Amino acid sequence: MRPACWARRGAAPAAAAAATGSVSGSRGSAALVIHGARVFTGTAGGGAPVEAVAVGRDGKILATGSGSAVRRHIGRDTEVVDARGNTVMSGIHDGHVHPLGAGDRSLRPSLEGAETTLPELRELLAGFLADTGGSDAEPDRWLVVEDWNPVGLLPTGSVPHHSMLDALATRRPVALVGGDGHNLWVNRRALDIAGITASTPDPVGGRIVKGADGQPTGVLKDDAQDLVKRHIPEPSRAELVAACAKVLELAAASGVTTMMDALVGRHELELYQALAAAGKLPQRIVPAIRLDAGQTKDPAAALAYARGLRKEFEGVRGLRFGMVKVFLDGVIEYPAQTAALLEPYLDGNGKPTANRGELYTSAADYGRLTAAFNKAGWQLHAHGLGDRAVRTALDGYAYARRVTGQRDARNAIAHLQIVDPADLRRFAQLGVAACMQLQWAAQDTWTMDALLPYIGPQRHRWMYPALSLERAGARLTGGSDWPVDALQVWNQLRTAIDRQGAYGTGELYRKLEGLSRGSVLRMHTAGTAWQLRQEGLTGTVEVGKAADLVLLDRDVTRCPVADISGTGVRMTLVGGRAVHDADSAAGRAAAARAARAVSGPRPSTYAAVHGGRHHNCAH
């Protein structure tokens, strides 16, 4: 138990309780009281500042208000915590994340998104080969390396080819997994194992990149990655559960209390089932069941598939079903350029090409799919990165609205890297959640070198148009897309404000698109709770709601914006239960991992990876 800080000011909790008529075990006695706080309630309107919160024994918020008003809820065994003027607020709701993917990735070596020359890359991979068995692993053990930077091969503009990996002194199959989740680079051995040749057709929703000679280059995009990945041995269930438990601890130590897992199938649901059975599932999880491009063409079959998974796993404690996920396009950066654009990509010198990216589902198919699921009470969550994909999703949602008559379906579009200004008002008109990953909204290699020359300044200005969407009436919600990007929750919030963050090389249209501090805090709490249909349960600090709360080590409502990046989480509650306590042994270890994640971004250079080949995001 923490020190009862009021007692140090001369009144023991039991004495204070007796003076106000409250006794241990009475209806007014709290399990926990946090006082001396600056409470960000997330509610509309003004009113007197809130400086204390009482948590009931039922896991709900019992009282909020001044310290003197909340004091009456202290009983003989109430835990009392002094916030020392720091922030108490709703826990972070991550509306688009892949936590089990983070656990899976943590089991393999990582390039950490580094930019490297080819010789530097080969040196790193040679080290990974030695670290993962050396000669004893020849010739058949796969080397799978996470967080390859698809735009990071130097000099800028260099295009990956399997021959570059074939030059390594190994016969082993080698696969570099793109940190963006949309690209895979493999050597010739891996291509041969997968049976990929010049005559192999592109799968639906993916592309086998081929050279001028018609031969595969070794780069596979989106759903084409599965042609190789299906041949890579999986880690054991025990290894996965242990790794996922550790990354979920990291999320709790970062202040995350609810997550929408944006890519779920049977495999992921079985992992959640195992985690819950082991008592290792600290967050509320909304699984978004992934539908592939083929399934979008048969709404009835897709709905039956989703319902079947829900029926099988809905008894798993901590899971709440009702969401499906569809990829409408890919990624926008060079050389991938699979995001669907209204106008063609440029060639880097200002001239239009014939490429408008990949649209994996038509507006008509997406509309029929949405209508079927909305009518059955499910929500759609679209990956829509390019402006053509965003419009496709909006057109589909408009169709479903007309057909079903529903006005509160709460469908969503995630990422929104480029939105045509003509579509901004449609989000509010259609009640669509704008789920944004604003840790990307900074000047860096991805947004500048790999993008600006290929779309031009006019479209580039509409990168992550958060403020424009807010002014157009859209409901903003937030997500990290971890592990596509590192889990740096508080830098993510800071970047949404100053559009530079801790690691950007400059501001990305801050004056045009930077959000206020209050808007950012609300979009990552109440806004995302609304997206997930749990605003009646969580997202604000109000009496009667679940005590999904965080106590921070600073006042994020008033500290300098740049200081938000380094925020530490002292305590995280879910339903009134402490799932992270920085004063406990386990909490100190998790807090240390979270601190390392904050202080050590994915490096942009070879030097930052060299000498640290064993690093991964979970340990």
Side-chain angles (χ1 to χ4, degrees), residues 250 253-254 486-491 502-503 554 563-568 591-602:
L250 174 61
S254 301
L487 186 68
Q488 297 174 340
V489 169
W490 301 96
N491 184 59
Y503 314 113
R554 66 199 66 192
D563 289 351
I564 296 174
S565 291
T567 298
R593 292 197 299 273
R596 287 197 295 272
V598 169
S599 62
R602 290 186 177 180

Side-chain angles (χ1 to χ4, degrees), residues 127-499:
F128 291 146
L129 286 165
D131 293 342
T132 57
S135 59
D136 290 340
E138 295 288 344
D140 296 325
R141 181 176 171 183
W142 283 79
L143 174 66
V144 181
V145 180
E146 299 290 344
D147 298 313
W148 161 56
N149 184 343
V151 301
L153 191 59
L154 302 176
T156 300
S158 299
V159 178
H161 192 274
H162 67 77
S163 61
M164 300 172 178
L165 303 179
D166 297 341
L168 291 166
T170 184
R171 292 173 291 163
R172 294 167 60 181
V174 176
L176 308 188
V177 182
D180 59 359
H182 293 264
N183 290 273
L184 186 72
W185 179 16
V186 302
N187 64 356
R188 166 59 73 181
R189 177 77 193 288
L191 289 173
D192 290 342
I193 290 172
I196 297 173
T197 67
S199 61
T200 304
D202 290 337
V204 175
R207 182 155 64 92
I208 302 167
V209 178
K210 296 175 180 175
D213 59 359
Q215 297 296 321
T217 66
V219 176
L220 301 110
K221 298 180 182 295
D222 293 309
D223 285 356
Q225 298 175 81
D226 292 338
L227 299 175
V228 168
K229 285 185 174 181
R230 66 178 60 143
H231 296 279
I232 299 175
E234 294 283 344
S236 72
R237 175 61 55 83
E239 289 172 327
L240 276 174
V241 169
C244 290
K246 189 161 287 189
V247 300
L248 291 174
E249 288 178 1
L250 174 61
S254 301
V256 180
T257 56
T258 290
M259 293 188 281
M260 194 209 79
D261 189 325
L263 196 67
V264 169
R266 174 176 297 279
H267 171 71
E268 289 77 17
L269 291 172
E270 289 174 346
L271 278 178
Y272 279 125
Q273 187 176 52
L275 287 161
K280 299 292 187 180
L281 188 55
Q283 289 86 9
R284 303 179 194 273
I285 304 294
V286 178
I289 296 171
R290 192 263 170 103
L291 303 178
D292 63 32
Q295 288 173 299
T296 65
K297 297 181 181 299
D298 189 343
L303 182 58
Y305 166 73
R307 281 173 163 167
L309 288 176
R310 179 177 65 182
K311 182 177 180 179
E312 185 174 352
F313 292 98
E314 63 185 347
V316 176
R317 184 178 178 85
L319 300 189
R320 183 174 57 78
F321 288 85
M323 190 84 66
V324 292
K325 159 76 175 293
V326 175
F327 282 95
L328 295 185
D329 68 346
V331 292
I332 196 169
E333 292 82 14
Y334 178 88
Q337 296 182 332
T338 52
L341 300 184
L342 293 169
E343 299 296 331
Y345 288 90
L346 306 180
D347 64 0
N349 296 306
K351 295 182 179 180
T353 68
N355 179 26
R356 291 200 299 150
E358 307 284 343
L359 189 63
Y360 302 139
T361 300
S362 69
D365 284 343
Y366 192 65
R368 286 188 287 269
L369 182 79
T370 301
F373 273 91
N374 287 173
K375 188 175 181 180
W378 292 68
Q379 299 164 262
L380 267 290
H381 188 90
H383 169 112
L385 200 146
D387 52 10
R388 183 160 60 110
V390 172
R391 182 168 293 177
T392 296
L394 292 170
D395 289 347
Y397 294 151
Y399 171 85
R401 189 180 178 99
R402 290 193 303 270
V403 169
T404 66
Q406 293 189 11
R407 295 295 181 266
D408 192 31
R410 302 193 194 183
N411 300 308
I413 308 174
H415 308 320
L416 303 170
Q417 189 161 355
I418 300 287
V419 180
D420 189 276
D423 289 322
L424 294 172
R425 293 193 177 277
R426 300 182 69 195
F427 283 81
Q429 292 166 355
L430 297 170
V432 173
C435 183
M436 307 192 79
Q437 290 62 55
L438 293 177
Q439 75 272 30
W440 302 335
Q443 288 190 23
D444 57 19
T445 297
W446 296 82
T447 58
M448 304 305 292
D449 300 343
L451 188 54
L452 179 57
Y454 303 100
I455 64 171
Q458 185 174 355
R459 283 183 289 184
H460 195 266
R461 173 264 172 270
W462 292 103
M463 288 270 290
Y464 306 114
L467 184 58
S468 294
L469 281 163
E470 183 181 56
R471 286 175 172 169
R475 286 186 181 259
L476 300 183
T477 74
S480 66
D481 211 11
W482 178 47
V484 172
D485 206 347
L487 186 68
Q488 297 174 340
V489 169
W490 301 96
N491 184 59
Q492 171 185 325
L493 272 65
R494 175 250 177 113
T495 308
I497 301 168
D498 70 8
R499 305 281 291 198

Side-chain angles (χ1 to χ4, degrees), residues 41-178:
T41 66
T43 58
V50 177
E51 59 184 24
V53 179
V55 176
R57 300 178 189 280
D58 60 356
K60 296 181 180 179
I61 297 172
L62 181 63
T64 66
S66 66
S68 59
V70 176
R71 178 190 296 249
R72 66 187 179 86
H73 294 286
I74 299 176
R76 295 181 185 278
D77 59 351
T78 299
E79 185 175 10
V80 184
V81 176
D82 186 353
R84 298 183 175 88
N86 298 320
T87 296
V88 170
M89 58 181 284
S90 162
I92 297 298
H93 293 51
D94 195 324
H96 188 104
V97 62
H98 310 281
L100 303 186
D104 187 30
R105 287 191 187 192
S106 73
L107 295 170
R108 291 180 285 275
S110 172
L111 285 167
E112 301 181 355
E115 296 177 3
T116 68
T117 64
L118 183 56
E120 289 169 345
L121 176 63
R122 285 176 177 155
E123 183 179 345
L124 286 170
L125 295 179
F128 291 146
L129 286 165
D131 293 342
T132 57
S135 59
D136 290 340
E138 295 288 344
D140 296 325
R141 181 176 171 183
W142 283 79
L143 174 66
V144 181
V145 180
E146 299 290 344
D147 298 313
W148 161 56
N149 184 343
V151 301
L153 191 59
L154 302 176
T156 300
S158 299
V159 178
H161 192 274
H162 67 77
S163 61
M164 300 172 178
L165 303 179
D166 297 341
L168 291 166
T170 184
R171 292 173 291 163
R172 294 167 60 181
V174 176
L176 308 188
V177 182

